[in-house]
Amino acid sequence: MSKSIPRIEAPAPVVSVSPVVLSAPGRGADLEVRVSAPVTGSGLPIIVFAHGHGSSSDGYLPLAHYWAARGFVVIQPTFLDSRTYSLGPEDPRSPLIWRFRVEDVTRVLDHLDVIEASVPGLAGRVDHSRIAAAGHSFGAQTTAMLLGARIRGPDGRLGEDLADPRLKVGVLLCAGGRGGDALSPLAREHFPYLNQVYAEMTTPTLVVAGDQDHSPLTVRGPEWFTDAYTLSPGPKSLLTLFGAEHMLGGISGNRVTETTDENPARVSAVQRLTWAYLHEAFYPGERAWAVACEELMASPTPLGRVESKTPPP
């Protein structure tokens, strides 16, 4: 397949199709996804994006559209915890909602041909060997599991390794940190699947955290959201955004009520830096990530800072 490398500062028009429906036996409902792609270019890499709790494939368009306009095919599943399903705590699927999420992403990866064929003009323009995964909040946990993180069970043993080798790189936005004594009583009682361990998450990943992200799920404060970086082996990078709360300025959409720190400049930084990280992962010769980091730090009032680590010798 021939590859035309997209220019860094030349966003293309985007086509978006929703819902694309995938059969999902045993799930209780078929899986619906949104697919967004540039109308030009070939050899396009893929981003599978996992939304936060309660959202859907209609959310996070500031990220999805930005990425698609700059050379990615963006696939957004709607998970069972979405408000569109109104799944109650009494539903037998609720205790394993985290596992259904992981299975949904795996189902997407298993049916890329079907998804590609659903978008007019996209067939033959997608590179199925270059796949990234990204997610926010609960979606970041979903993504982390597929990148190599694991859940520690009540007996202290690590759960199943659900890492998917088809994913070459990841972005974790506001990913919950380690479990155990870092969890609040609320989290230990109601969300036992937050007992995550990052020691085996070896896939290259950008972790994004806000230094004002105070969560009722942890007793550690905003630092908890950096654990996916500090407790996992390299290669990893950490983008810490100054003044950012859990929605990072409004990445789920403009004027969304759940955003408590609305800040268009912060959203713009998340857009550019996440795209640059993924772009450089697949087009290393263009130095998109290096350039974006230089621009961030060159500002007289930087919106954040970046640090990186490589694997231990």
Side-chain angles (χ1 to χ4, degrees):
M1 178 185 296
S2 63
K3 295 180 174 64
S4 59
I5 298 177
R7 291 174 55 195
I8 291 178
E9 296 296 347
V14 171
V15 59
S16 185
V17 176
S18 174
V20 176
V21 180
L22 302 177
S23 177
R27 185 177 184 267
D30 287 337
L31 174 61
E32 296 185 358
V33 304
R34 174 182 291 275
V35 187
S36 302
V39 299
T40 59
S42 61
L44 303 172
I46 297 166
I47 301 173
V48 182
F49 181 80
H51 65 70
H53 184 271
S55 189
S56 72
S57 60
D58 293 329
Y60 298 91
L61 296 187
L63 294 181
H65 189 277
Y66 187 95
W67 293 335
R70 290 159 179 79
F72 285 92
V73 176
V74 183
I75 304 172
Q76 297 174 264
T78 293
F79 300 112
L80 287 173
D81 58 272
S82 171
R83 287 183 290 271
T84 60
Y85 286 111
S86 300
L87 216 67
E90 73 285 350
D91 190 288
R93 293 168 291 180
S94 291
L96 289 175
I97 201 71
W98 69 271
R99 183 63 183 259
F100 279 101
R101 280 172 151 263
V102 172
E103 291 173 354
D104 284 345
V105 175
T106 301
R107 185 172 287 108
V108 165
L109 298 177
D110 290 342
H111 294 87
L112 290 176
D113 288 335
V114 174
I115 294 170
E116 180 179 344
S118 69
V119 180
L122 186 60
R125 298 172 49 219
V126 185
D127 187 344
H128 294 195
S129 69
R130 297 190 297 173
I131 308 174
H136 173 249
S137 193
F138 197 7
Q141 192 219 37
T142 302
T143 302
M145 299 294 294
L146 289 152
L147 299 176
R150 297 170 73 174
I151 291 177
R152 191 179 300 280
D155 60 359
R157 300 175 64 180
L158 287 179
E160 182 181 356
D161 181 1
L162 299 172
D164 195 311
R166 290 173 291 187
L167 300 176
K168 308 305 182 186
V169 62
V171 171
L172 302 181
L173 302 154
C174 304
R178 65 177 176 86
D181 60 4
L183 298 178
S184 67
L186 171 71
R188 289 197 297 271
E189 179 179 357
H190 296 286
F191 309 108
Y193 48 79
L194 293 181
N195 199 21
Q196 54 244 339
V197 177
Y198 289 105
E200 298 179 15
M201 192 179 76
T202 58
T203 308
T205 301
L206 170 64
V207 177
V208 182
D211 70 359
Q212 295 301 312
D213 190 353
H214 296 274
S215 172
L217 300 176
T218 181
V219 297
R220 290 183 54 217
E223 183 185 3
W224 187 58
F225 291 98
T226 67
D227 281 354
Y229 171 78
T230 58
L231 301 181
S232 65
K236 299 289 185 300
S237 292
L238 172 65
L239 167 62
T240 302
L241 293 166
F242 304 147
E245 298 177 18
H246 199 61
M247 301 311 296
L248 302 177
I251 59 172
S252 65
N254 297 325
R255 299 186 179 180
V256 175
T257 56
E258 62 192 6
T259 300
T260 56
D261 64 333
E262 190 167 28
N263 186 317
R266 187 174 297 138
V267 173
S268 179
V270 175
Q271 289 171 323
R272 176 154 178 78
L273 285 153
T274 55
W275 170 82
Y277 183 85
L278 296 174
H279 185 87
E280 185 161 317
F282 295 126
Y283 304 102
E286 294 197 3
R287 298 187 67 253
W289 171 243
V291 170
C293 291
E294 290 167 4
E295 291 175 350
L296 176 71
M297 299 313 299
S299 170
T301 55
L303 292 172
R305 66 174 180 270
V306 172
E307 52 194 288
S308 299
K309 63 182 180 181
T310 56

PDB file of all heavy atoms in Angstrom, residues 171-193:
ATOM      1  N   VAL A 171      -2.349   6.816  24.328  1.00  0.00           N
ATOM      2  CA  VAL A 171      -2.474   8.084  25.037  1.00  0.00           C
ATOM      3  C   VAL A 171      -3.485   7.881  26.160  1.00  0.00           C
ATOM      4  O   VAL A 171      -4.619   7.454  25.905  1.00  0.00           O
ATOM      5  CB  VAL A 171      -2.940   9.227  24.115  1.00  0.00           C
ATOM      6  CG1 VAL A 171      -3.270  10.476  24.936  1.00  0.00           C
ATOM      7  CG2 VAL A 171      -1.895   9.551  23.069  1.00  0.00           C
ATOM      8  N   LEU A 172      -3.080   8.173  27.391  1.00  0.00           N
ATOM      9  CA  LEU A 172      -3.949   8.047  28.557  1.00  0.00           C
ATOM     10  C   LEU A 172      -4.212   9.433  29.124  1.00  0.00           C
ATOM     11  O   LEU A 172      -3.295  10.104  29.603  1.00  0.00           O
ATOM     12  CB  LEU A 172      -3.302   7.161  29.621  1.00  0.00           C
ATOM     13  CG  LEU A 172      -2.926   5.746  29.198  1.00  0.00           C
ATOM     14  CD1 LEU A 172      -2.308   4.990  30.376  1.00  0.00           C
ATOM     15  CD2 LEU A 172      -4.139   4.999  28.660  1.00  0.00           C
ATOM     16  N   LEU A 173      -5.462   9.872  29.070  1.00  0.00           N
ATOM     17  CA  LEU A 173      -5.869  11.176  29.563  1.00  0.00           C
ATOM     18  C   LEU A 173      -6.564  10.999  30.910  1.00  0.00           C
ATOM     19  O   LEU A 173      -7.626  10.382  30.988  1.00  0.00           O
ATOM     20  CB  LEU A 173      -6.825  11.838  28.568  1.00  0.00           C
ATOM     21  CG  LEU A 173      -6.279  12.027  27.143  1.00  0.00           C
ATOM     22  CD1 LEU A 173      -7.420  12.078  26.145  1.00  0.00           C
ATOM     23  CD2 LEU A 173      -5.447  13.289  27.050  1.00  0.00           C
ATOM     24  N   CYS A 174      -5.949  11.492  31.963  1.00  0.00           N
ATOM     25  CA  CYS A 174      -6.521  11.399  33.311  1.00  0.00           C
ATOM     26  C   CYS A 174      -6.784   9.951  33.707  1.00  0.00           C
ATOM     27  O   CYS A 174      -7.875   9.597  34.174  1.00  0.00           O
ATOM     28  CB  CYS A 174      -7.809  12.213  33.417  1.00  0.00           C
ATOM     29  SG  CYS A 174      -7.617  13.942  32.956  1.00  0.00           S
ATOM     30  N   ALA A 175      -5.795   9.109  33.550  1.00  0.00           N
ATOM     31  CA  ALA A 175      -5.909   7.703  33.940  1.00  0.00           C
ATOM     32  C   ALA A 175      -5.758   7.563  35.446  1.00  0.00           C
ATOM     33  O   ALA A 175      -4.820   8.107  36.045  1.00  0.00           O
ATOM     34  CB  ALA A 175      -4.826   6.872  33.234  1.00  0.00           C
ATOM     35  N   GLY A 176      -6.663   6.822  36.074  1.00  0.00           N
ATOM     36  CA  GLY A 176      -6.555   6.565  37.501  1.00  0.00           C
ATOM     37  C   GLY A 176      -5.249   5.863  37.837  1.00  0.00           C
ATOM     38  O   GLY A 176      -4.721   5.084  37.042  1.00  0.00           O
ATOM     39  N   GLY A 177      -4.730   6.143  39.018  1.00  0.00           N
ATOM     40  CA  GLY A 177      -3.451   5.581  39.417  1.00  0.00           C
ATOM     41  C   GLY A 177      -3.573   4.222  40.076  1.00  0.00           C
ATOM     42  O   GLY A 177      -4.554   3.502  39.881  1.00  0.00           O
ATOM     43  N   ARG A 178      -2.569   3.873  40.861  1.00  0.00           N
ATOM     44  CA  ARG A 178      -2.515   2.544  41.460  1.00  0.00           C
ATOM     45  C   ARG A 178      -3.667   2.340  42.443  1.00  0.00           C
ATOM     46  O   ARG A 178      -4.269   3.294  42.950  1.00  0.00           O
ATOM     47  CB  ARG A 178      -1.185   2.335  42.172  1.00  0.00           C
ATOM     48  CG  ARG A 178      -0.954   3.236  43.383  1.00  0.00           C
ATOM     49  CD  ARG A 178       0.365   2.900  44.067  1.00  0.00           C
ATOM     50  NE  ARG A 178       0.650   3.802  45.166  1.00  0.00           N
ATOM     51  CZ  ARG A 178       0.200   3.626  46.409  1.00  0.00           C
ATOM     52  NH1 ARG A 178      -0.578   2.580  46.690  1.00  0.00           N
ATOM     53  NH2 ARG A 178       0.502   4.481  47.367  1.00  0.00           N
ATOM     54  N   GLY A 179      -3.950   1.067  42.716  1.00  0.00           N
ATOM     55  CA  GLY A 179      -5.014   0.728  43.650  1.00  0.00           C
ATOM     56  C   GLY A 179      -4.496   0.618  45.071  1.00  0.00           C
ATOM     57  O   GLY A 179      -3.630   1.365  45.504  1.00  0.00           O
ATOM     58  N   GLY A 180      -5.046  -0.355  45.809  1.00  0.00           N
ATOM     59  CA  GLY A 180      -4.607  -0.569  47.185  1.00  0.00           C
ATOM     60  C   GLY A 180      -4.923   0.606  48.088  1.00  0.00           C
ATOM     61  O   GLY A 180      -6.010   1.191  48.029  1.00  0.00           O
ATOM     62  N   ASP A 181      -3.932   0.997  48.898  1.00  0.00           N
ATOM     63  CA  ASP A 181      -4.165   2.054  49.871  1.00  0.00           C
ATOM     64  C   ASP A 181      -4.256   3.444  49.243  1.00  0.00           C
ATOM     65  O   ASP A 181      -4.529   4.431  49.944  1.00  0.00           O
ATOM     66  CB  ASP A 181      -3.089   2.038  50.954  1.00  0.00           C
ATOM     67  CG  ASP A 181      -1.684   2.237  50.392  1.00  0.00           C
ATOM     68  OD1 ASP A 181      -1.542   2.471  49.173  1.00  0.00           O
ATOM     69  OD2 ASP A 181      -0.720   2.143  51.172  1.00  0.00           O
ATOM     70  N   ALA A 182      -4.048   3.535  47.925  1.00  0.00           N
ATOM     71  CA  ALA A 182      -4.213   4.819  47.239  1.00  0.00           C
ATOM     72  C   ALA A 182      -5.684   5.131  46.967  1.00  0.00           C
ATOM     73  O   ALA A 182      -6.039   6.280  46.700  1.00  0.00           O
ATOM     74  CB  ALA A 182      -3.441   4.833  45.926  1.00  0.00           C
ATOM     75  N   LEU A 183      -6.543   4.111  47.039  1.00  0.00           N
ATOM     76  CA  LEU A 183      -7.960   4.298  46.760  1.00  0.00           C
ATOM     77  C   LEU A 183      -8.696   4.832  47.984  1.00  0.00           C
ATOM     78  O   LEU A 183      -8.385   4.476  49.122  1.00  0.00           O
ATOM     79  CB  LEU A 183      -8.594   2.983  46.310  1.00  0.00           C
ATOM     80  CG  LEU A 183      -8.053   2.356  45.020  1.00  0.00           C
ATOM     81  CD1 LEU A 183      -8.752   1.029  44.748  1.00  0.00           C
ATOM     82  CD2 LEU A 183      -8.224   3.312  43.847  1.00  0.00           C
ATOM     83  N   SER A 184      -9.703   5.634  47.729  1.00  0.00           N
ATOM     84  CA  SER A 184     -10.567   6.130  48.798  1.00  0.00           C
ATOM     85  C   SER A 184     -11.537   5.035  49.220  1.00  0.00           C
ATOM     86  O   SER A 184     -11.743   4.051  48.488  1.00  0.00           O
ATOM     87  CB  SER A 184     -11.342   7.345  48.309  1.00  0.00           C
ATOM     88  OG  SER A 184     -12.271   6.954  47.302  1.00  0.00           O
ATOM     89  N   PRO A 185     -12.166   5.162  50.380  1.00  0.00           N
ATOM     90  CA  PRO A 185     -13.187   4.183  50.766  1.00  0.00           C
ATOM     91  C   PRO A 185     -14.293   4.061  49.722  1.00  0.00           C
ATOM     92  O   PRO A 185     -14.792   2.958  49.470  1.00  0.00           O
ATOM     93  CB  PRO A 185     -13.711   4.746  52.089  1.00  0.00           C
ATOM     94  CG  PRO A 185     -12.548   5.508  52.654  1.00  0.00           C
ATOM     95  CD  PRO A 185     -11.870   6.128  51.472  1.00  0.00           C
ATOM     96  N   LEU A 186     -14.670   5.168  49.095  1.00  0.00           N
ATOM     97  CA  LEU A 186     -15.684   5.136  48.040  1.00  0.00           C
ATOM     98  C   LEU A 186     -15.250   4.228  46.904  1.00  0.00           C
ATOM     99  O   LEU A 186     -16.023   3.378  46.426  1.00  0.00           O
ATOM    100  CB  LEU A 186     -15.919   6.551  47.506  1.00  0.00           C
ATOM    101  CG  LEU A 186     -16.790   6.662  46.244  1.00  0.00           C
ATOM    102  CD1 LEU A 186     -18.242   6.348  46.575  1.00  0.00           C
ATOM    103  CD2 LEU A 186     -16.666   8.065  45.634  1.00  0.00           C
ATOM    104  N   ALA A 187     -14.019   4.382  46.437  1.00  0.00           N
ATOM    105  CA  ALA A 187     -13.528   3.577  45.325  1.00  0.00           C
ATOM    106  C   ALA A 187     -13.406   2.105  45.712  1.00  0.00           C
ATOM    107  O   ALA A 187     -13.766   1.216  44.924  1.00  0.00           O
ATOM    108  CB  ALA A 187     -12.171   4.110  44.857  1.00  0.00           C
ATOM    109  N   ARG A 188     -12.907   1.836  46.927  1.00  0.00           N
ATOM    110  CA  ARG A 188     -12.745   0.440  47.330  1.00  0.00           C
ATOM    111  C   ARG A 188     -14.092  -0.276  47.432  1.00  0.00           C
ATOM    112  O   ARG A 188     -14.204  -1.455  47.104  1.00  0.00           O
ATOM    113  CB  ARG A 188     -12.005   0.367  48.674  1.00  0.00           C
ATOM    114  CG  ARG A 188     -10.530   0.740  48.581  1.00  0.00           C
ATOM    115  CD  ARG A 188      -9.768   0.251  49.804  1.00  0.00           C
ATOM    116  NE  ARG A 188     -10.256   0.887  51.034  1.00  0.00           N
ATOM    117  CZ  ARG A 188      -9.785   2.031  51.525  1.00  0.00           C
ATOM    118  NH1 ARG A 188      -8.825   2.679  50.885  1.00  0.00           N
ATOM    119  NH2 ARG A 188     -10.258   2.525  52.652  1.00  0.00           N
ATOM    120  N   GLU A 189     -15.119   0.459  47.848  1.00  0.00           N
ATOM    121  CA  GLU A 189     -16.430  -0.169  48.020  1.00  0.00           C
ATOM    122  C   GLU A 189     -17.179  -0.357  46.707  1.00  0.00           C
ATOM    123  O   GLU A 189     -17.777  -1.411  46.471  1.00  0.00           O
ATOM    124  CB  GLU A 189     -17.289   0.671  48.965  1.00  0.00           C
ATOM    125  CG  GLU A 189     -18.687   0.094  49.189  1.00  0.00           C
ATOM    126  CD  GLU A 189     -19.522   0.926  50.135  1.00  0.00           C
ATOM    127  OE1 GLU A 189     -19.005   1.934  50.681  1.00  0.00           O
ATOM    128  OE2 GLU A 189     -20.704   0.580  50.335  1.00  0.00           O
ATOM    129  N   HIS A 190     -17.110   0.648  45.837  1.00  0.00           N
ATOM    130  CA  HIS A 190     -17.973   0.639  44.653  1.00  0.00           C
ATOM    131  C   HIS A 190     -17.242   0.329  43.350  1.00  0.00           C
ATOM    132  O   HIS A 190     -17.876  -0.055  42.368  1.00  0.00           O
ATOM    133  CB  HIS A 190     -18.685   1.987  44.519  1.00  0.00           C
ATOM    134  CG  HIS A 190     -19.621   2.292  45.645  1.00  0.00           C
ATOM    135  ND1 HIS A 190     -20.844   1.665  45.783  1.00  0.00           N
ATOM    136  CD2 HIS A 190     -19.499   3.146  46.699  1.00  0.00           C
ATOM    137  CE1 HIS A 190     -21.456   2.130  46.868  1.00  0.00           C
ATOM    138  NE2 HIS A 190     -20.653   3.011  47.445  1.00  0.00           N
ATOM    139  N   PHE A 191     -15.923   0.508  43.322  1.00  0.00           N
ATOM    140  CA  PHE A 191     -15.194   0.332  42.065  1.00  0.00           C
ATOM    141  C   PHE A 191     -13.954  -0.540  42.276  1.00  0.00           C
ATOM    142  O   PHE A 191     -12.818  -0.078  42.127  1.00  0.00           O
ATOM    143  CB  PHE A 191     -14.794   1.694  41.488  1.00  0.00           C
ATOM    144  CG  PHE A 191     -15.940   2.666  41.388  1.00  0.00           C
ATOM    145  CD1 PHE A 191     -16.019   3.753  42.252  1.00  0.00           C
ATOM    146  CD2 PHE A 191     -16.931   2.483  40.443  1.00  0.00           C
ATOM    147  CE1 PHE A 191     -17.075   4.652  42.169  1.00  0.00           C
ATOM    148  CE2 PHE A 191     -18.002   3.373  40.340  1.00  0.00           C
ATOM    149  CZ  PHE A 191     -18.075   4.454  41.213  1.00  0.00           C
ATOM    150  N   PRO A 192     -14.130  -1.804  42.625  1.00  0.00           N
ATOM    151  CA  PRO A 192     -12.976  -2.670  42.896  1.00  0.00           C
ATOM    152  C   PRO A 192     -12.061  -2.850  41.683  1.00  0.00           C
ATOM    153  O   PRO A 192     -10.874  -3.172  41.852  1.00  0.00           O
ATOM    154  CB  PRO A 192     -13.630  -3.997  43.301  1.00  0.00           C
ATOM    155  CG  PRO A 192     -15.009  -3.953  42.728  1.00  0.00           C
ATOM    156  CD  PRO A 192     -15.414  -2.515  42.781  1.00  0.00           C
ATOM    157  N   TYR A 193     -12.588  -2.605  40.494  1.00  0.00           N
ATOM    158  CA  TYR A 193     -11.764  -2.760  39.288  1.00  0.00           C
ATOM    159  C   TYR A 193     -10.768  -1.609  39.121  1.00  0.00           C
ATOM    160  O   TYR A 193      -9.973  -1.609  38.177  1.00  0.00           O
ATOM    161  CB  TYR A 193     -12.648  -2.882  38.044  1.00  0.00           C
ATOM    162  CG  TYR A 193     -13.745  -1.852  37.927  1.00  0.00           C
ATOM    163  CD1 TYR A 193     -13.481  -0.563  37.481  1.00  0.00           C
ATOM    164  CD2 TYR A 193     -15.058  -2.170  38.251  1.00  0.00           C
ATOM    165  CE1 TYR A 193     -14.479   0.382  37.368  1.00  0.00           C
ATOM    166  CE2 TYR A 193     -16.079  -1.233  38.144  1.00  0.00           C
ATOM    167  CZ  TYR A 193     -15.776   0.047  37.710  1.00  0.00           C
ATOM    168  OH  TYR A 193     -16.782   0.974  37.596  1.00  0.00           O
TER     169      TYR A 193
END
